[in-house]
Structure formats: structure tokens, C-alpha cells
Amino acid sequence: DLQLIRRKVRDRSVALVLVGTVLLMPPIGGLARIDGTIFGIPIPLMALVAFTMIGVLAAISLKEKQT
């Protein structure tokens, strides 16, 4: 059944995102403790902007895939 397959894929995708989030939290948290700049921009702010952009692009990609 196609609906069952889609549900399984969706469930696996959610699980993958959750596992990835848990695995990436320590390195991302470590970025907040770095006291430095790149091109005059604080490293924690650059990391926040980078991960926000990745999240936005992923959301756009998922939205386009659903339509």
C-alpha cells in the first residue's frame, strides 16, 4: 500500500532528524564557548546563521516535495 510506504518513509525521516539533532548538539554547543571572530563576526553568531539557513533550505525543500 502506497500510503503505508509513505508513512514509513516519513517516520524514518523524523527519526533521522531526531538522531542527527542529538548527535550534533555537543559540537554546536561547543561553538557557543568559542571567543573569536571570522571577518569581524562572532563565531557563535555565524554558526547560528549557518544552521538557520540550513533549516530554512530543508523546510523549503520539504514543502516543495509535498506539493
Side-chain angles (χ1 to χ4, degrees), residues 1-47:
D1 184 43
L2 185 60
Q3 189 175 12
L4 180 63
I5 293 171
R6 286 183 180 173
R7 189 177 320 138
K8 284 182 178 183
V9 169
R10 186 190 65 219
D11 291 346
R12 288 179 184 162
S13 298
V14 169
L16 181 63
V17 168
L18 291 174
V19 169
T21 301
V22 169
L23 291 175
L24 287 175
M25 286 307 287
I28 294 170
L31 287 175
R33 293 182 292 199
I34 296 174
D35 188 26
T37 61
I38 298 177
F39 303 115
I41 302 171
I43 291 175
L45 180 61
M46 287 188 77

Side-chain angles (χ1 to χ4, degrees), residues 51-64:
F51 286 110
T52 301
M53 289 180 1
I54 290 169
V56 168
L57 290 174
I60 291 170
S61 172
L62 289 174
K63 185 176 180 182
E64 288 178 2

